[in-house]
Amino acid sequence: MENRPLLRSTLAIYTVLFIGFLYAPFVVLGILSFQSGPEGGPQFPIIEWSTYWYRHIFGLTPPSRVAPLPIGEALVRSMTLAFATMVTSTVLGTMTAQAFRRRFKGSGFVFYLVVLGMIVPGVLVGLGIALVANTLGIPRAWWGTAFVAHVLYTFPFAFLVMLAIFNRFDKTVEEAAWSLGVPPMRTFRKVTFPLIFPGVLSSMLFAFTLSYDEFPRTLFAAGADLTLPLAIYGTFAVEIHPNIFAFGVLTTLFSFSLLAVYGFLMALSVRSAKKVAIQEEIA
Amino acid sequence: MAYDLELIGVGKVYDNGTVAVRDFDLQVEKGEFISFVGPSGCGKTTTLRMIAGFESITSGEVRIRGRRINDLPAEQRPTSTIFQNYALFPHMTVRQNIEYGLSVKGLSKADRRQKAAGIMEKLELLDVADRRHDVLSGGQRQRIALARGLAVEPDILLLDEPLGSLDANLRKSIQNELKLLQRNLGITFIFVTHAQSEALVLSDRVIVMNRGEVEQISPPYELYTRPKTRFVAQFIGRNTNIPGTLKGRDGDIAGVETGYGALRGFLNDSTLSDGDDVIAVVPSEAIDVYPLTASRDELIAQYQGNVVEGLVRTADVVGHTVFYVIELSDGREVNIESHIEKYRDAFETGAERVYVTWLPNEATVIGKG
Ligand SMILES: Nc1ncnc2c1ncn2[C@@H]1O[C@H](COP(=O)(O)OP(=O)(O)O)[C@@H](O)[C@H]1O
Ligand SMILES: [Mg+2]
């Protein structure tokens, strides 16, 4: 048993490194976002600590040679797109997973077809969609072609999450409802859905975050009006100022608050989830 | 008057080709307690699920009170099902579980309350009505499941091994409750179990299944005393099955030529004729044991020829019960479990060699099939 302390310290170091690499860039960005402005650049040392670039984002600073970030509309677009994608993919994913609870002819084939959506290189998907749209004469738009691309991309994730949830689901609970005279649709809404809700939440989180910062598929599919990641990328082409970093900090905080909401809702439904587990033990 | 439940040539073939049930015929009167018994995989659950509407019916017809229900979805059938794992709704309290079926039926809130309270009182659940059921014991949860199923007033209650996950003591007490409840309500119960003792205690009639087919449908007592097939003779009770050929018949009593000589038993299967291979099924309860010191001629007269010599292998007394294992001349073992009074003579002499005897009418002759 000599190797166990070794293994443990190795794992510990690995974990620390992992977290370090994960958060180091963010910490650096975070620090640099407090650079003084407008003359301070995106590098060390910090000339003077200030919240200039945060105010700059919201247009609270006097006009200067640094143009405001062209992201206001892009942010709204990306939020809208992510929300629509989240709803669509989660509904589709849940329905498809529900269909997969019974093996049907060709279910294996369809499964791989669906999962392919998350494996095919994103740039190709985006390009493909753009080409198809052009051929058919459909104008490209973030709310049209890009939306399709995002759903194609996030739907398999939602589907897999829901499939895992249904795998653990005790079907007799539904049968019990039917046998009490509850029609299948109502059973789904009143019995099945509350029990799979943690999975639905996870699907929603996946779909939203994947869509929100999707880049390669959106690049060709979005058309003239840019989504947030495209807009940010566009600013790189000019000159980088710490306002980008400030914005990065803000979106990260937004992501954390999403996670917090997710955690809160999860905690609310975890009580019923626990009960499902208990029922399964008996089964 | 129509039967409460009728199965006419019902069969089930699963999508993967498994033939789970074959040609099942059954008529059930209102208020009967019917049990399905049989080894695991014999098709009990499948049959129950076809009646409930959870599985499609491949062939034949199921009728409830004269109405064909093959194509009726589960929620429209006048049945409710009790599952082994209870299948309670995890996100509802005890009361909500019980009231849920009623709310779907469109009862007002007050009516629901009242009705649920009535059934909860019957099943002694009022104290826990507003609890979440995951904190309750297995017995309580099974009663909640029963209350929930009965609250919607089904014509027929279907129970799939409902006592399977309870411990032995609890099983016994819930068994009794179940029987009383069924008597009081007068509802038809179809009860699936792999524990034959449960079925024999509870039921008006027991259906023994094997490999998807019905072997016998009889009142419990008859399963013991008059098995119809070899499978039933082996599956139910503790019988000694002696092979032989049919020879001669005198009313209900037939002669059987066996390795132990000519024996006699009850026969009412008219398809059998002299020379057919048969089995004499001798229930353990029918057997009397005598020491060799008894007069063989007298025994032969008394038991009309059914006297076979054997060697006592073991004789264990547990309380008032004696367990005998007696080996016959060809090595066949006879297992007997009975009240010690019955064997006092043989037992007290410490006899090693004994006569094994039984009255012809208490043995049953069946085809070898
Ligand atoms: N959904 C199913 N698909 C295919 N075969 C099944 C299915 N359910 C049960 N079977 C098969 O049908 C037969 C009868 O099963 P079942 O009715 O569950 O038996 P029992 O309840 O008597 O143990 C078994 O051979 C079982 O493997
Ligand atoms: Mg079963």
Side-chain angles (χ1 to χ4, degrees), chain A residues 93-128:
Chain A
T94 306
M95 276 165 38
T96 315
Q98 167 84 10
F100 268 81
R101 292 174 66 186
R102 297 189 69 133
R103 289 282 157 268
F104 53 88
K105 244 196 201 130
S107 59
F109 178 71
V110 175
F111 177 84
Y112 286 112
L113 218 56
V114 169
V115 174
L116 213 59
M118 59 198 275
I119 298 171
V120 178
V123 179
L124 293 184
V125 174
L127 193 59

Side-chain angles (χ1 to χ4, degrees), chain B residues 5-314:
Chain B
L5 173 68
E6 195 171 10
L7 273 62
I8 304 161
V10 169
K12 174 72 186 180
V13 183
Y14 280 108
D15 288 343
N16 64 4
T18 308
V19 182
V21 178
R22 243 184 289 245
D23 210 18
F24 198 131
D25 287 312
L26 174 69
Q27 286 100 31
V28 181
E29 303 274 1
K30 178 166 164 42
E32 265 194 295
F33 198 125
I34 301 283
S35 291
F36 292 2
V37 299
S40 177
C42 70
K44 308 180 293 289
T45 296
T46 302
T47 309
L48 201 76
R49 290 173 61 82
M50 284 194 284
I51 300 171
F54 304 144
E55 294 291 350
S56 63
I57 298 161
T58 311
S59 55
E61 197 170 312
V62 176
R63 291 185 192 160
I64 293 181
R65 304 206 169 159
R67 170 167 169 228
R68 178 190 148 101
I69 56 155
N70 284 42
D71 307 314
L72 218 54
E75 74 271 13
Q76 290 175 27
R77 297 191 187 188
T79 57
S80 44
T81 306
I82 311 294
F83 299 87
Q84 177 176 1
N85 67 351
Y86 321 126
L88 298 173
F89 305 130
H91 54 306
M92 299 185 192
T93 65
V94 172
R95 186 196 302 280
Q96 286 167 339
N97 261 279
I98 295 167
E99 284 185 9
Y100 187 52
L102 296 173
S103 69
V104 173
K105 283 206 148 71
L107 263 70
S108 75
K109 195 167 167 76
D111 288 349
R112 275 188 338 240
R113 279 262 139 159
Q114 197 185 354
K115 201 158 211 171
I119 191 98
M120 280 194 281
E121 183 171 13
K122 238 181 225 140
L123 285 158
E124 293 170 21
L125 289 168
L126 279 177
D127 293 342
V128 297
D130 296 308
R131 300 262 285 277
R132 306 199 43 138
H133 57 79
D134 59 325
V135 296
L136 303 177
S137 70
Q140 278 171 315
R141 296 166 86 189
Q142 191 49 275
R143 289 210 299 272
I144 299 165
L146 269 173
R148 183 181 67 176
L150 289 169
V152 295
E153 297 181 338
D155 291 348
I156 300 172
L157 194 71
L158 306 169
L159 307 98
D160 193 355
E161 311 218 11
L163 312 181
S165 39
L166 303 177
D167 66 53
N169 285 332
L170 210 51
R171 256 181 120 108
K172 257 276 155 340
S173 79
I174 296 215
Q175 241 176 53
N176 294 335
E177 277 180 44
L178 205 58
K179 184 74 207 171
L180 278 175
L181 198 65
Q182 193 262 346
R183 281 274 145 80
N184 287 337
L185 296 171
I187 295 180
T188 304
F189 274 36
I190 309 289
F191 182 90
V192 162
T193 174
H194 64 264
Q196 49 162 298
S197 65
E198 219 163 76
L200 296 168
V201 169
L202 291 171
S203 324
D204 298 314
R205 284 190 296 158
V206 177
I207 297 168
V208 182
M209 292 183 70
N210 183 33
R211 295 164 180 243
E213 284 182 83
V214 175
E215 292 275 340
Q216 183 166 351
I217 304 180
S218 296
Y221 180 71
E222 244 181 75
L223 280 182
Y224 273 114
T225 54
R226 293 286 177 247
K228 287 204 175 93
T229 68
R230 183 174 180 172
F231 176 81
V232 174
Q234 281 164 352
F235 188 74
I236 299 284
R238 190 188 290 263
N239 297 315
T240 302
N241 300 318
I242 302 170
T245 48
L246 193 64
K247 193 179 171 203
R249 205 190 269 223
D250 177 11
D252 280 346
I253 300 299
V256 180
E257 277 297 325
T258 72
Y260 318 111
L263 303 176
R264 285 146 66 77
F266 174 90
L267 172 70
N268 81 344
D269 184 344
S270 55
T271 63
L272 294 173
S273 53
D274 271 14
D276 283 351
D277 284 336
V278 293
I279 294 169
V281 182
V282 188
S284 146
E285 296 77 8
I287 291 176
D288 293 329
V289 176
Y290 295 89
L292 276 202
T293 50
S295 155
R296 185 183 168 97
D297 292 342
E298 270 176 31
L299 289 179
I300 285 185
Q302 184 182 344
Y303 291 96
Q304 298 165 43
N306 288 342
V307 178
V308 173
E309 230 182 282
L311 186 66
V312 176
R313 277 286 166 222
T314 60

